[in-house]
Amino acid sequence: MAGHSKWANIKHRKARVDAQKGKVFTKISKEIMAAVRQGGGDPNNNFRLRLALQKARSVNMPNDNIQRAIQKGAGELEGTNFEEIIYEGYGPAGTAVMLEILTDNRNRTAGEIRHIFSKSGGSLGETGCVAWMFNRRGYLEVSKEGHDEDELMLLALDAGAEDFEAGENAFEIYTRPDDFEAVKEKMEAEGISFGEAAITMIPETTVEVPDVEGAQKALALIEALEDHDDVQNAYSNLDVPSEVMAELENE
């Protein structure tokens, strides 16, 4: 799981949340609708919906937007039916990429995603080509500021966490998917707040891209995929060394 720490840092450093806030709201709305269609509109009985609502609140999504998405998912308002698809492929330097897609037009989305891959020096692959490299895990991130590493690690493990790491900028806690909510709630009850809390895909191994040009190409692919309206989540086993990332940030 160690590779996720570096990938999380890459995502944070390259984030453009303010510029993309409208797009973020749209993607979360789609996730809420899909969650409601799958498990109903009561968050108390729908874990996926609870996660989507937490994500919505973390980016200050207006309540009106949230309620409309719930109503559309429940069929109370007219909405689009989205198909959930997993796309897999390869990026520059042999990096693995896995995408969670929500689309109302599978053929259109497939063509557009294939184009993004090829334009960036990658390729869209067959189903199952890279999924085996990733494990679904709960991920909780805690700022290093104000926390003792040993105390936080004991608290996390006592709460049921599976693993604990000291990342470059934060402590990172991993759980089994089924334990994620219980661990999160137990730690919150102890006054711990999280910079990020999600069920995500963690690469078993990573591919280090040690040169600036290669890292730039690999990151450009991930960013282009994340920008696509139908891509809910993009996962990769890309590992960019800190000194290379520093060079990219200074360009």
Side-chain angles (χ1 to χ4, degrees):
M1 286 189 226
H4 185 264
S5 173
K6 294 176 182 178
W7 173 237
N9 289 338
I10 290 168
K11 290 189 73 176
H12 295 163
R13 287 166 175 161
K14 305 298 285 186
R16 293 168 292 168
V17 174
D18 289 339
Q20 295 184 331
K21 189 159 283 188
K23 183 168 288 190
V24 169
F25 289 169
T26 299
K27 291 190 177 190
I28 294 175
S29 292
K30 289 169 70 173
E31 175 61 26
I32 291 172
M33 284 186 273
V36 171
R37 284 174 182 146
Q38 181 187 67
D42 182 0
N44 293 320
N45 298 316
N46 187 336
F47 177 55
R48 181 178 177 182
L49 178 58
R50 285 202 298 279
L51 288 180
L53 294 178
Q54 289 171 13
K55 188 183 293 185
R57 295 181 182 117
S58 73
V59 296
N60 298 314
M61 186 170 168
N63 285 330
D64 287 348
N65 296 42
I66 294 173
Q67 289 305 313
R68 278 197 301 273
I70 292 173
Q71 290 174 310
K72 287 179 180 180
E76 297 171 12
L77 294 176
E78 185 176 350
T80 305
N81 287 320
F82 296 108
E83 183 179 5
E84 298 185 65
I85 312 170
I86 300 294
Y87 285 162
E88 303 169 50
Y90 300 95
T95 52
V97 180
M98 188 164 72
L99 307 173
E100 292 177 343
I101 303 282
L102 279 174
T103 179
D104 60 353
N105 188 324
R106 175 191 281 258
N107 292 333
R108 170 185 52 77
T109 301
E112 291 173 354
I113 296 298
R114 185 175 289 106
H115 176 71
I116 292 173
F117 268 103
S118 61
K119 185 178 179 182
S120 301
S123 61
L124 185 62
E126 299 295 326
T127 300
C129 67
V130 302
W132 59 272
M133 301 183 194
F134 295 85
N135 291 315
R136 187 169 291 279
R137 292 287 186 270
Y139 174 72
L140 299 161
E141 179 191 88
V142 181
S143 171
K144 284 189 171 182
E145 187 175 350
H147 295 289
D148 177 80
E149 180 176 347
D150 290 338
E151 290 180 0
L152 186 67
M153 179 173 64
L154 286 174
L155 176 61
L157 295 176
D158 286 344
E162 191 174 37
D163 200 1
F164 180 96
E165 291 181 13
E168 186 176 336
N169 300 309
F171 297 116
E172 298 176 320
I173 299 158
Y174 301 90
T175 77
R176 288 178 289 272
D178 291 346
D179 296 336
F180 170 78
E181 192 168 25
V183 173
K184 180 174 179 289
E185 289 178 354
K186 287 176 183 176
M187 295 189 71
E188 285 176 334
E190 297 295 328
I192 304 299
S193 58
F194 303 103
E196 182 179 349
I199 303 290
T200 186
M201 300 299 291
I202 308 295
E204 286 191 4
T205 58
T206 58
V207 173
E208 183 175 284
V209 181
D211 62 289
V212 172
E213 183 179 356
Q216 202 165 32
K217 288 180 179 178
L219 287 169
L221 170 61
I222 299 301
E223 290 180 359
L225 290 168
E226 288 184 326
D227 280 347
H228 192 281
D229 291 341
D230 296 337
V231 175
Q232 293 297 108
N233 295 293
Y235 307 108
S236 173
N237 66 349
L238 170 66
D239 173 6
V240 179
S242 57
E243 62 272 15
V244 175
M245 182 57 68
E247 286 189 54
L248 290 171
E249 290 177 337
N250 291 329
E251 287 185 354

